[in-house]
Amino acid sequence: AQSVTQPDIHITVSEGASLELRCNYSYGATPYLFWYVQSPGQGLQLLLKYFSGDTLVQGIKGFEAEFKRSQSSFNLRKPSVHWSDAAEYFCAVLRPFGGSQGNLIFGKGTKLSVKP
Amino acid sequence: GAVVSQHPSRVICKSGTSVKIECRSLDFQATTMFWYRQFPKQSLMLMATSNEGSKATYEQGVEKDKFLINHASLTLSTLTVTSAHPEDSSFYICSAPTPNYGYTFGSGTRLTVV
């Protein structure tokens, strides 16, 4: 069965510093992977997604993620964090269902705090 | 782009009463809607999948009679928490698939049962 692990529950970085949020997945075939961001009490916003092709994926807000099959990882990175990036970040993998698109399976999330 | 409008954003109800949460697709037809529940500082757990015109599919461990899901039209899916208890207090989010393996999420409903 598909699963996602986000090892870090809470990360604090200084504004302007680089960021890397870890994500490991479990899936037998080529996974469809996603990163979402959630502000408190809000829904989820898609940052980026990977299906195939170039393993380095560019997203919105200056985020990027790299798919590494050998490590079963899909880590999210940003070269310079802004205070507005403070939020909860979720990694997700698609669970196909028959002939339909299927639903997402989420990791437990990583809360990002940004120090001034 | 595809937008899902979820209402209410917050609701407080008394134990034993029922609460209905609505998710409407505003500019597209949502034949499928996923309903998630999110506990504080936890991930989103899929509760059920609703499909327009047919019965919802519930995940293992989710009480069908407790969480009634209706998907009567291509633009509206509802989740009714029946006979609510304090342990049902949570954040509920709906999500609809969009083309090219996209997903659009509602803004969520914070349910508090007192």
Side-chain angles (χ1 to χ4, degrees):
Chain A
Q2 299 90 339
S3 66
V4 175
T5 302
Q6 293 181 247
D8 305 304
I9 298 174
H10 189 185
I11 285 182
T12 300
V13 300
S14 298
E15 190 168 17
S18 63
L19 170 71
E20 182 170 35
L21 301 182
R22 296 184 289 166
C23 172
N24 293 98
Y25 67 89
S26 173
Y27 187 59
T30 299
Y32 287 17
L33 296 162
F34 304 76
W35 273 101
Y36 284 87
V37 60
Q38 184 183 33
S39 297
Q42 299 289 317
L44 279 73
Q45 181 182 24
L46 178 67
L47 290 175
L48 47 81
K49 57 187 177 183
Y50 170 78
F51 296 161
S52 63
D54 192 346
T55 56
L56 185 62
V57 181
Q58 301 297 320
I60 63 171
K61 302 184 179 185
F63 286 93
E64 66 177 27
E66 187 171 11
F67 171 64
K68 293 185 177 180
R69 184 187 299 276
S70 61
Q71 299 177 19
S72 297
S73 69
F74 189 56
N75 295 347
L76 182 71
R77 301 193 294 248
K78 186 170 184 177
S80 178
V81 170
H82 188 262
W83 64 266
S84 60
D85 293 324
E88 190 91 23
Y89 291 80
F90 291 95
C91 182
V93 65
L94 174 67
R95 180 183 77 170
F97 182 77
S100 70
Q101 180 166 311
N103 64 280
L104 297 177
I105 297 174
F106 290 88
K108 291 186 181 293
T110 298
K111 181 178 180 179
L112 173 66
S113 297
V114 181
K115 292 189 299 185
Chain B
V3 175
V4 170
S5 176
Q6 183 171 349
H7 293 281
S9 58
R10 291 178 178 270
V11 58
I12 301 173
C13 70
K14 293 183 178 180
S15 286
T17 62
S18 295
V19 173
K20 179 184 284 188
I21 301 170
E22 293 187 347
C23 281
R24 293 181 182 274
S25 55
L26 297 185
D27 47 5
F28 70 105
Q29 292 182 331
T31 56
T32 298
M33 192 72 74
F34 300 110
W35 287 93
Y36 292 87
R37 180 174 180 176
Q38 185 179 24
F39 293 97
K41 303 185 187 303
Q42 300 263 341
S43 183
L44 288 81
M45 302 300 296
L46 181 67
M47 299 173 62
T49 302
S50 72
N51 293 287
E52 186 271 334
S54 62
K55 289 185 178 180
T57 303
Y58 290 80
E59 296 297 302
Q60 191 172 8
V62 177
E63 298 177 61
K64 300 179 182 181
D65 297 332
K66 174 78 169 173
F67 299 99
L68 298 180
I69 290 176
N70 184 279
H71 198 143
S73 77
L74 289 171
T75 59
L76 176 63
S77 177
T78 62
L79 166 66
T80 301
V81 182
T82 63
S83 187
H85 291 282
E87 57 265 31
D88 299 324
S89 298
S90 193
F91 194 63
Y92 295 86
I93 304 177
C94 59
S95 173
T98 56
N100 196 28
Y101 292 95
Y103 295 86
T104 185
F105 288 82
S107 55
T109 297
R110 171 74 60 196
L111 170 63
T112 303
V113 185
V114 298

